[in-house]
Every structure is written in C-alpha cells, then in structure tokens.
C-alpha cells in the first residue's frame, strides 16, 4: 500500500521529472539512509534525539528534513510516512526521499539496531573528517599569512576536536538491542 501510494505521488507530482532533471540534488546517502530507516521504523526515532546526530549532518537540507521528521513523529497519533513525504516541498530532495521510500528495503529487525548504530558512527566519522580537513586548510592559510595567533587558536581547536572524536569513539552512544 505504501509503495503504491508513493508511486502515485511520484507520477502525479506537477513537474517532478522536469525539476529532478534540471536541479539534481546532492544528497548524502548515509544521511538519506538514516532518515529512511527512521521513517520506516518510527519507533527508532529516539535515536535522533539521543545521539544528536542531526548536528553531524553535512547537508543542511537533510538536517532540516531530519528536524521535520523528529517533530512530525513527536506529534500525537501514529506516524505516517506517506503523509510526511506528501507534506514535503516539491523538489529534488523530496524526489530522493520518495525514490528511497519506494525502493525495496527489508531491514531485519535483528540487525536494525546495529545498522542504525553503524550509520550514526559513519556519519560522525565523515563529519569529523570534514572538520579536520577544513581546519587544516584554515591553518595553512593562517601560516601563509603569518598570523601566529590564528594558527595557535586553530591548533587548539584541532586538539579539542581530536579529544572529542576520541571520546565519542570510546563511548558507544547507541545501545545495541
């Protein structure tokens, strides 16, 4: 039923094909997979709040989508993925979410917790990697400009980031079922 309703929504959306071709969305697959899993298993929504994983999303549109999902699932009544998707603005992001929802996905309940934990860990790793890369770029520019104070601040920031990353890798924030 879900797939038929979503397929109908995809084909009946005004100008959906034209929008998708003219503005391809660069959506991070890890973030999309996490959103998809939580949409299909709203009982796992607490993971978003417990881990603050939305703070580690690189794509701001996906972060906003995650916040909407969190708020929508917190509303009284049963969460409905079709209704949630239908309320999204038309555009490439909506099309990606629709396509993912239609895609065959049978997550085994026995491995769902581990899959979520691994996805959260991968999103965090990628975020830290991007932050380290950005800091390194800023440090090189500061060195080239001869700004010693900024270099020292950036070194302190890099050390803080490394400590935080190590702490997060030691502490498992998602309990395995």
């Amino acid at each position: 039923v879900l797939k038929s309703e979503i397929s109908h929504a995809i084909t009946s959306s005004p100008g959906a094909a034209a929008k998708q071709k003219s503005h391809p969305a660069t959506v991070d697959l890890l973030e999309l997979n996490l959103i998809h899993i939580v949409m299909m298993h709203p009982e796992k929504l607490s993971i978003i709040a417990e881990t603050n994983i939305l703070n580690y999303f690189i794509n701001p549109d996906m972060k906003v989508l995650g916040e909407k999902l969190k708020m929508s699932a917190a509303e009284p009544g049963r969460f409905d993925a079709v209704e949630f998707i239908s309320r999204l603005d038309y555009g490439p992001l909506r099309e990606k979410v629709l396509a993912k929802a239609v895609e065959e996905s049978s997550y085994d309940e026995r491995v769902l917790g581990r899959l979520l934990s691994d996805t959260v860990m991968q999103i965090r790793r990628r975020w830290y990697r991007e932050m380290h890369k950005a800091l390194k770029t800023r440090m090189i520019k500061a060195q080239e400009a001869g700004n010693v104070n900024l270099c020292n601040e950036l070194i302190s920031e890099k050390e803080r980031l490394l400590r935080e990353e190590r702490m997060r890798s030691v502490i498992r924030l998602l309990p395995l079922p």
Side-chain angles (χ1 to χ4, degrees):
V1 175
L2 173 66
K3 288 182 181 181
S4 64
E5 289 182 31
I6 291 174
S7 295
H8 176 69
I10 289 174
T11 57
S12 66
S13 64
K19 286 181 184 179
Q20 190 172 10
K21 288 179 184 174
S22 63
H23 301 292
T26 54
V27 174
D28 182 79
L29 291 179
L30 283 172
E31 295 170 2
L32 181 62
N33 285 337
L34 182 65
I35 295 293
H36 176 249
I37 292 169
V38 173
M39 275 180 22
M40 297 301 124
H41 299 275
E43 71 276 6
K44 301 291 185 184
L45 186 66
S46 63
I47 287 170
I48 289 177
E50 290 170 6
T51 62
N52 289 322
I53 192 62
L54 295 178
N55 293 334
Y56 296 89
F57 274 30
I58 291 177
N59 184 321
D61 293 333
M62 289 300 291
K63 185 175 184 174
V64 169
L65 180 66
E67 291 291 344
K68 286 180 183 178
L69 177 61
K70 192 165 98 174
M71 290 171 39
S72 177
E75 293 174 2
R78 189 168 188 271
F79 176 76
D80 184 6
V82 174
E83 182 182 331
F84 174 76
I85 294 170
S86 69
R87 286 187 280 160
L88 296 176
D89 295 333
Y90 287 100
L93 182 62
R94 181 177 191 258
E95 296 304 318
K96 295 275 186 182
V97 172
L98 279 169
K100 188 70 175 170
V102 170
E103 190 178 283
E104 186 68 34
S105 61
S106 57
Y107 298 115
D108 186 0
E109 291 295 323
R110 294 173 296 185
V111 296
L112 187 61
R114 182 68 186 169
L115 178 65
L116 283 168
S117 179
D118 288 348
T119 304
V120 166
M121 185 175 58
Q122 289 175 22
I123 289 170
R124 277 199 184 114
R125 275 190 195 148
R126 189 211 46 230
W127 184 85
Y128 281 113
R129 190 172 44 245
E130 292 296 320
M131 293 302 293
H132 287 298
K133 193 160 97 176
L135 276 171
K136 183 178 179 181
T137 303
R138 290 178 58 202
M139 286 173 66
I140 290 170
K141 288 180 181 178
Q143 284 177 340
E144 289 172 352
N147 191 339
V148 177
N149 289 336
L150 182 57
C151 282
N152 290 336
E153 287 178 31
L154 293 173
I155 289 170
S156 295
E157 177 65 19
K158 185 154 179 88
E159 289 171 353
R160 185 200 61 77
L161 192 63
L162 281 169
R163 280 191 307 272
E164 179 183 316
E165 184 178 11
R166 284 186 192 122
M167 189 112 130
R168 291 237 183 246
S169 67
V170 170
I171 301 171
R172 295 291 290 191
L173 294 178
L174 283 176
L176 296 177

